[in-house]
Structures are given as C-alpha cells and as structure tokens.
Amino acid sequence: MVALSSAGLRARLFFLVALSLLPALALIVYSSLLVREASLLDAKSQTLAFVRRIATENDDLIAHSRELLAGLSRLPAVQESASPAECGHLLAGMKKTGSRFANLGVADLGGKVVCSAIPFEGDVNIADRAYFQRALASRSFAVGNYQIGRITGKPAINFAYPIFNGERMLRIVFAAADLSWLERMVGNSSLPADSALAVVDNEGSVLAVFPREGGLVGKSWPPFPKVHASVSTNKEGVVEAIDPDGKARLYAFARLVGGSSEDIYLIYGLPKATIYGPAVRQFWVGLAGLGIAALLVFAIVWLVGELLVLKSVKILAAAARRLGQGELKARTGLSHAGGELGLLARSFDNMAEAIEAKEKQLVQANRALRVLSAGNRTLLRGTDERTLLDEMCQAIVGTGGYRLAWVGYVGDDEAKLVRPVAHAGTDEGYLGGADITWADKERGCGPAGTAVREGRPAVARHILTDPAFRPWREEAVKRGFASVIALPVRRRSQMLGVLGIFAAEPDAFNAEEAKLLEELADDLGYGIANRRDAEARERIERELEHQYSHDALTGLANRSLFEDRVRHAMLHAVRTGRLVAVLLMGMDRFKIINESLGHSVGDALLKHVGPRLAACLREDDTVARFSGDEFAVALIDVAKAEDVAPLAGKLLAAAMQPLALAEREIYTSASMGISLFPKDGESMERLLQNADA
C-alpha cells in the first residue's frame, strides 16, 4: 500500500484495472486446478487399468503354460526312455507352434537339462531356479520368477511341471515364456513420452523395462524404494513419488505372480507433468486470453485516461511545479467547470492567487523590515544631522530597492513650502521642480503636503490614476515612479518635515509596509532630535571648556591651560633631551594707559598684543595671558638655548608695535624674562619664578 500511495495516477488506474481482472484470473486458476485434479484421477484410473490388463494377460499366460506342460509331461518323447535328440526335436516343434515361449525343455531331478527346444552346449543345470525347486517340492505345476534365461539369455518367466510314472517322479518339464507379449501390449498402448513400464522382483532388480533402455536390466530400479512400501502391502494400487532426478511421477503397480516369497511386480510410471499437461495448456491458453484482454483494456485506459484525466492532471502538476519554483503568476488555465477536475483547478487557481497576494504582502513587509533595520543601523552610525539624512535616504533606496527616497523640511513662512534637504535614487531634477507645499491648495494636496498638514502617512498607490498626484504625474511617470508614500517626520511634538518614498511598482505600500515605514520615519525624527540635542550639548560643553581654559578678554590660553601644556612639554623634553623655554612678558606703562585713556583702551591694547604674539610662534608653541598686562609664552622642543633669543626679540618687537585707536596711535614698550627647562628649573613653579626674576 505504501508503494501504491506513492505511485502515479496512471499506475493507480492500471492497478484498478488489474484488480478488476483478478476474478477472471481466479476463475482460470480454479478451472485449471479442477482440470488438474480430474486429469490426476483419470490418470490413476487409466494407469491402474493398464497394469490390471497386463496382469490379466499374465494370468492367461500361466494358464496356457500349465495346459501345455501338462500335455508334454504325458508324451513318450519326454520320458526317461526317450533320447535327448528325440526329445529336443519334439520340443523344437512345439516351440514353433507356440510363439509365446522362448524355450521348452526337460531336466532330470538333479536339475540337469536333458533336452531343450534350443540347442545348447555343455551342461546346464537349473536346480537353483525357483520354478524347479517349487515343482519338486509341490509335485505339481509351479510358476517361477521373471529372470534371464540361461539358455536363451532373454528375460522370461519360467514354468515347471513334474513328469510321473505312476507315483514316481521322473523328470521336470519346463517352459520359458518370453516378454514379447508384454512388449506388444506396451507398443499397442502408445505410452506417453517419458513414461516407463518395468518388471521388477521383490528386491527391486529390473527383469524387463519398456521402452527398452540399455543397461537397466539386471540392475536395481531407482524408483522402486520409494514405492516399495505400498507395493509390498497391496496386490495393486497407485502411489505418487519423486524420482531421484526430482521429477514427480504417478506409479501404478500390480503383482504378476503371487503366493510365493519372490513376487514379481509390474510397475508403470507416468510423469505428473504429462498428466497435468491438459490442465497446464488450458491454464496458459486462458492466461494468454486474459493477457490479451488485459492489454486491450490497458490500452483503452491509457488513451481514455490520457485524454480525460491525465492531461488535466499534468497541467495541474505543471502549474503546481511552476508555483513551487516561485512563479507566482502560474495558473492552470483549465475550465473551472466539469466536475472534480474543474473543482480542483478552481481551488488551485484560487490558492495561487492567494499565495501571490500573500507573497506580495510578505515581500513588501520584508522590504520594509530590511529598510527599518538598515535605518536603525544608520541612526547608530550617523554623526551629524545632514549625514544622517543622506545615509538614511541611501539605506532606503539601497536596501529596499525603492526608486527614490527624500527628506524635506517644512517652513513656517506664508508659502508653507516643503524644502528638500536630502535624497537618494532616481531624481534627475524631479525634486527641484516639484514645488511642494503643505498649504491647503492644489500642490499641497499631494501625499507630502497631506502628511505634513494632517500629521499622518499619505499614500498614492497608483500615480497614473490618483487625482491628487496630477501636478507631478508627468514627471513622475518619466522617472518610472508608480506609487509613493509620504510620512511625517516629527521631533517630539514638533513637525520637522516629511519622508517621501517612491516605488517602481503600482499598488505598493500596503498597510503592514506603511506601518513599518511609519516607524522608520518616527525613528528618523527621533534621530534628528538626538543629533540636534547632542550638537547643542556639545556646543555648550565646548563653550564651558573654552571659558575654563582661555582668557575671556583676549581669547588666549589662561594660566591653567598654559601650565598644563608646559608640564606635557617637560615630560616630552625629558625623553628627547630637548629644551623648553618659558618667557614672561609685561607691558610697560599699562597702568598709566588705563588711568589716562580708560580701561577700554587698555583692553583694546591687550586684544591687540595677543594675536601679534601668537603670529610669531610655531604651531606647537603657546601664548597665554596670566593677568593684567602679563603674558606668558612657552617654546616647545627647543634644540639649544641660543635659539630662544631671536624669537624673544621678535615677540618684543611685535608687542611694541603701535596701536591705532580713536584717531591716535598708542605706543608702548614691554619687558621679558626667560627661563629654560631643565637648566633653570625642573618644576613649573621654579621656571616661572626664574623667568619672573
């Protein structure tokens, strides 16, 4: 049943046809068995009748032999007074008249053959023969066994009759009846091929066999042991046995000579294959007829099944195979009417349509999920707001396969324009000429304007037919846009702008996809808010850090930052063997300028000196304002002390350049002290003390 359940439809049809033929096959087998049984019964009857007929003939032979020998015993030619020649002449004449006998002869009471119808040479003694001994013992007619004659050399059955003179036994007259009569009966019976008739003694030795087969006479007959049990307990009967060569035979048997210890048996063996021949022929003829009928039926089933069933089934299977390979447009093309196959075709087509719709939804949802995932990675990776917007648009187009993604910010002006700030994909100037607004007018009724104005996603699933998209339809179709969704981008409760996504296929952006993309827009708004908040925090932190480490008036490094940089320079100098120079400079008469010209002029002078000092330094050097008119300079990585003096001169010259202020020039001078690390001190405090001195 497992094999049948996995077989094809045609195989199942053939199986049903084969099942319908089983009763006919059973009838053929049953009829053959009946014929076989009848043939076996008939063969048993015929074979038993055949051996009975031979046994009857044998009884006639015995009776005839008795009469013949009784008559011979009374003739003078066989008496003791007769000469052997006269006796032999008489017997030869009697043999000619009796064709059933192979020989006639006379023997004395010692068993010596006196005369014979067949001449012989030397002495022949038959005293050991069963028929001779029985005649002596019974003093009457005796029947011997089938045996090979010593004079004739032929298989024959022997008879003996005593010759008397009064009460005195004189001689024994005997006769040897050959088996020609048995051979004639066999020939007239036309035995079937491979059948055999054998005359066997009670030891199983072959006395005669028909048809004649050389080498068997005088030897043990092979089948005899298998049938001996039945033969030895019954006068006649039929048994079945297997030959040593493996052939099954039917054996009919009968005792030819009974009443003695050495019975002779006639056994007729007939092959069972011959017996069953008619039944076998009838079986094969019936089977051949059934086979021809089955072939015709199979041919009809093949053709009719192909036209009415299998053709439609193959179409269904091909459609199912295409659907399984991902061809979602696969349909049977069969009529949905017409019984079970029509119902099956309709069910399959409906299923395929449902799968296609579901697959489309899954594809769109998966696309949106991939975009959402890519957007989340972009939110984590983006550094600033502009980079975030650009990378978000790239992720939407690159991951989702959309035609165009763009972000626009809204303005609070009277025109209420939506200004594109980032995009990716196929644009080709589309956004530049879109002129999108969120005002309640024609160019504000498209998806982008509606999303901003109403604060909800807006979709145009069919750009070609959506009336709200009329102002942009021509340019959108040129660029291969078929559907679009616009999603509001918010920063908390503040409307920032809109995220627009165009797809190349119509009827995109189903409810599930729109929901996922709306989540993406919310994430984008959250990302923008985070970037702006982070930038604000960074700006405040930078300002605080600058205020902590820089002079508020000049913008130069303050004392704390200066000392920190010098300490780092000292550590570097220790490793490299270089020098660090610390220079302290004070402005001369700065207090007089403040008192005579005002603090604003003094502040202006300080602001003027700081940049001039910084302009004289290398990138790694530092200039700082400590307090009042005191400035400090750190020269980093100085090779030798002689290199400091020229730079100190430049610094003094820069500090003493006049300052043009309020239509006057202010001249000043400066003083400078220098200390070197590590020569003049190995700590910050020591260096500053020495420079100040």
Side-chain angles (χ1 to χ4, degrees):
M1 292 304 293
V2 174
L4 181 60
S5 63
S6 61
L9 183 57
R10 180 180 283 113
R12 297 187 184 194
L13 290 175
F14 285 168
F15 179 74
L16 292 176
V17 173
L19 283 179
S20 66
L21 295 175
L22 284 180
L25 178 61
L27 182 60
I28 291 173
V29 173
Y30 180 70
S31 299
S32 298
L33 291 176
L34 291 179
V35 173
R36 178 188 177 101
E37 188 65 24
S39 298
L40 182 61
L41 292 175
D42 185 60
K44 288 182 177 180
S45 176
Q46 290 183 9
T47 53
L48 187 56
F50 178 64
V51 295
R52 282 173 177 170
R53 191 166 61 250
I54 295 176
T56 301
E57 185 71 17
N58 184 71
D59 292 341
D60 292 341
L61 175 63
I62 294 174
H64 177 69
S65 300
R66 184 186 185 97
E67 294 176 359
L68 175 63
L69 293 179
L72 285 176
S73 67
R74 292 191 292 269
L75 295 178
V78 299
Q79 299 293 326
E80 286 182 322
S81 58
S83 65
E86 181 183 0
C87 175
H89 180 72
L90 173 65
L91 295 178
M94 295 296 295
K95 177 181 176 301
K96 289 180 180 179
T97 60
S99 59
R100 300 176 72 176
F101 296 99
N103 192 19
L104 297 172
V106 177
D108 60 21
L109 296 181
K112 179 180 179 182
V113 177
V114 177
C115 61
S116 169
I118 297 176
F120 60 92
E121 296 181 357
D123 292 336
V124 177
N125 196 296
I126 61 173
D128 59 336
R129 296 295 194 178
Y131 64 91
F132 182 82
Q133 294 175 1
R134 290 171 186 165
L136 286 178
S138 63
R139 299 177 61 86
S140 64
F141 178 73
V143 181
N145 299 329
Y146 278 87
Q147 56 193 26
I148 306 300
R150 288 178 175 161
I151 298 176
T152 63
K154 298 179 180 180
I157 184 171
N158 295 278
F159 308 99
Y161 197 91
I163 302 173
F164 291 94
N165 183 7
E167 291 296 326
R168 188 171 66 90
M169 184 183 302
L170 302 177
R171 292 181 174 182
I172 299 295
V173 60
F174 63 88
D178 63 19
L179 300 181
S180 59
W181 64 274
L182 186 56
E183 189 170 6
R184 285 194 300 273
M185 289 190 69
V186 172
N188 294 335
S189 299
S190 301
L191 299 181
D194 206 21
S195 63
L197 180 69
V199 179
V200 184
D201 62 18
N202 59 356
E203 297 297 329
S205 297
V206 177
L207 302 177
V209 63
F210 304 97
R212 295 182 181 275
E213 296 183 10
L216 286 179
V217 175
K219 296 182 179 180
S220 178
W221 192 51
F224 183 75
K226 294 183 178 292
V227 297
H228 181 260
S230 296
V231 170
S232 60
T233 57
N234 298 281
K235 182 179 180 181
E236 61 181 21
V238 179
V239 295
E240 297 180 35
I242 305 297
D243 277 353
D245 59 2
K247 291 183 180 180
R249 289 179 181 268
L250 186 70
Y251 292 101
F253 63 90
R255 290 181 182 174
L256 292 181
V257 179
S260 70
S261 61
E262 296 184 0
D263 293 334
I264 304 301
Y265 305 98
L266 178 67
I267 302 176
Y268 175 50
L270 182 63
K272 294 183 75 173
T274 302
I275 298 172
Y276 296 146
V280 172
R281 285 191 297 273
Q282 177 178 334
F283 172 76
W284 286 112
V285 169
L287 193 62
L290 182 62
I292 294 172
L295 289 176
L296 291 175
V297 173
F298 284 146
I300 293 172
V301 170
W302 180 287
L303 294 176
V304 175
E306 182 70 29
L307 293 175
L308 299 182
V309 179
L310 294 179
K311 183 177 180 181
S312 299
V313 172
K314 288 179 180 178
I315 293 174
L316 280 166
R321 183 169 56 253
R322 296 200 309 274
L323 183 64
Q325 292 172 351
E327 187 180 339
L328 300 181
K329 297 288 185 183
R331 300 294 184 273
T332 63
L334 297 174
S335 172
H336 291 176
E340 289 81 359
L341 288 176
L343 177 61
L344 183 60
R346 180 169 66 252
S347 299
F348 177 86
D349 291 341
N350 292 340
M351 177 190 69
E353 291 175 1
I355 290 175
E356 182 181 11
K358 190 64 177 178
E359 180 67 16
K360 185 176 180 180
Q361 293 176 0
L362 288 175
V363 168
Q364 293 178 358
N366 287 336
R367 176 171 62 179
L369 282 172
R370 292 196 303 272
V371 170
L372 182 61
S373 176
N376 290 333
R377 291 195 298 272
T378 301
L379 291 173
L380 296 174
R381 187 173 59 246
T383 55
D384 55 75
E385 182 175 336
R386 182 54 188 267
T387 302
L388 171 64
L389 297 177
D390 289 338
E391 290 184 354
M392 182 64 75
C393 292
Q394 290 288 349
I396 293 172
V397 173
T399 303
Y402 297 104
R403 295 284 292 176
L404 173 65
W406 69 281
V407 177
Y409 282 167
V410 299
D412 293 330
D413 55 354
E414 185 178 351
K416 297 183 177 180
L417 294 176
V418 178
R419 178 175 54 87
V421 293
H423 74 275
T426 305
D427 175 53
E428 300 175 359
Y430 173 78
L431 294 174
D435 191 20
I436 301 172
T437 179
W438 57 278
D440 191 8
K441 57 183 181 179
E442 183 182 32
R443 286 188 172 267
C445 293
T450 302
V452 174
R453 186 173 59 255
E454 299 182 7
R456 63 174 180 84
V459 181
R461 288 192 173 86
H462 297 276
I463 287 176
L464 280 174
T465 59
D466 195 324
F469 208 82
R470 187 186 61 81
W472 307 277
R473 180 177 296 125
E474 183 178 353
E475 295 300 321
V477 171
K478 286 181 181 179
R479 291 163 176 79
F481 303 152
S483 56
V484 61
I485 186 171
L487 304 142
V489 179
R490 300 180 183 88
R491 183 190 180 207
R492 300 182 180 90
S493 60
Q494 177 189 3
M495 180 65 69
L496 297 177
V498 64
L499 170 62
I501 303 174
F502 287 87
E505 68 277 5
D507 200 25
F509 309 111
N510 56 43
E512 188 173 357
E513 184 178 12
K515 184 178 180 181
L516 292 170
L517 293 176
E518 184 179 6
E519 184 178 345
L520 176 68
D522 292 340
D523 291 344
L524 178 60
Y526 177 77
I528 293 173
N530 281 348
R531 296 300 185 279
R532 291 184 179 182
D533 292 345
E535 289 174 0
R537 287 193 300 272
E538 289 174 1
R539 184 169 60 253
I540 294 172
E541 290 173 358
R542 285 195 302 271
E543 291 175 358
L544 292 174
E545 183 180 358
H546 190 273
Q547 291 175 7
Y548 173 77
S549 60
H550 289 77
D551 178 57
L553 177 63
T554 63
L556 298 177
N558 60 16
R559 186 185 186 97
S560 175
L561 179 60
F562 180 83
E563 291 180 354
D564 184 64
R565 289 183 177 177
V566 171
R567 288 190 181 93
H568 282 87
M570 291 165 62
L571 293 175
H572 179 72
V574 171
R575 292 194 300 269
T576 60
R578 310 280 281 185
L579 302 176
V580 178
V582 176
L583 292 76
L584 287 180
M585 186 182 72
M587 304 298 297
D588 296 337
R589 298 182 300 109
F590 181 72
K591 184 176 181 181
I592 297 174
I593 293 173
N594 262 342
E595 292 176 352
S596 60
L597 299 178
H599 286 283
S600 60
V601 175
D603 290 345
L605 178 62
L606 295 176
K607 291 180 182 179
H608 168 73
V609 171
R612 290 185 178 277
L613 294 177
C616 297
L617 300 177
R618 299 167 298 180
E619 183 178 0
D620 293 336
D621 296 336
T622 299
V623 59
R625 181 190 174 212
F626 275 10
S627 63
D629 63 344
E630 188 177 28
F631 293 89
V633 175
L635 302 179
I636 309 303
D637 198 23
V638 177
K640 53 185 181 295
E642 292 79 4
D643 295 338
V644 178
L647 185 57
K650 287 177 63 179
L651 291 171
L652 287 173
M656 291 186 295
Q657 288 185 3
L659 171 66
L661 186 66
E663 298 181 354
R664 68 176 66 182
E665 288 188 346
I666 298 174
Y667 291 88
T668 186
S669 61
S671 301
M672 179 178 291
I674 303 172
S675 64
L676 296 175
F677 173 83
K679 177 181 177 183
D680 298 323
E682 296 184 356
S683 66
M684 185 74 242
E685 293 77 9
R686 190 65 177 166
L687 287 174
L688 290 175
Q689 288 176 5
N690 288 334
D692 187 52

